[in-house]
Amino acid sequence: MDSNCLFCKIGAKQIPAKLVYEDDDLFAFEDISPQAPTHILICPRKHFAALQDAHQDDAALLGKLQLVAAKLATERDLLAGYRTVFNNGSGAGQSVFHLHLHLLGGRHFRWPPG
Ligand code: AMP
Ligand code: ZN
């Protein structure tokens, strides 16, 4: 855990959040500023700033982020169209530097993204 990291603190329940899923590897909570009717952030408990900081040993963990997103999307009836997104780096809009997968659903999404 990085003691200066907002999402590490949420995972450790030191800062409140609307948790929707957790297990030994991951936790997921509702985004405080939702950009769609469903907007959930899925985080590894292990602190990585961004995707490029993960290594081969983390492959299963990265896959599990996507599988949990698919499970939540299915449970929430979002299969007509949902999006999973990693923003990596400030140029891509990353503002919290603990890797997190956005799960967005419940509205139409345009392509390309902004
Ligand atoms: P990103 O911009 O990709 O780094 O995503 C960070 C996300 O974290 C944004 O969508 C924020 O709205 C969200 N966020 C920031 N602080 C909190 C918080 N305390 N609880 C829940 N979501 C948060
Ligand atoms: Zn962290």
Side-chain angles (χ1 to χ4, degrees):
M1 174 170 168
D2 178 335
S3 57
N4 294 315
C5 172
L6 173 63
F7 287 177
C8 282
K9 288 180 182 170
I10 288 176
K13 302 199 170 97
Q14 293 172 359
I15 289 180
K18 291 185 183 164
L19 282 170
V20 299
Y21 177 87
E22 62 180 327
D23 63 27
D24 288 348
D25 301 318
L26 309 180
F27 57 98
F29 54 97
E30 292 183 11
D31 196 293
I32 204 167
S33 178
Q35 302 301 310
T38 292
H39 188 172
I40 292 169
L41 304 176
I42 307 166
C43 302
R45 291 196 185 277
K46 184 174 176 182
H47 178 93
F48 304 98
L51 203 48
Q52 69 271 14
D53 298 312
H55 300 288
Q56 191 62 41
D57 287 353
D58 302 309
L61 183 58
L62 295 178
K64 191 169 175 183
L65 289 168
Q66 296 283 2
L67 291 174
V68 167
K71 169 182 153 60
L72 292 171
T74 302
E75 288 173 358
R76 288 163 182 254
D77 202 19
L78 301 176
L79 300 187
Y82 64 98
R83 193 166 279 175
T84 57
V85 179
F86 289 113
N87 294 324
N88 293 286
S90 54
Q94 187 176 11
S95 60
V96 178
F97 290 83
H98 178 127
L99 183 72
H100 50 280
L101 184 63
H102 293 257
L103 167 62
L104 298 138
R107 67 168 170 84
H108 180 74
F109 296 99
R110 286 174 294 180
W111 191 261

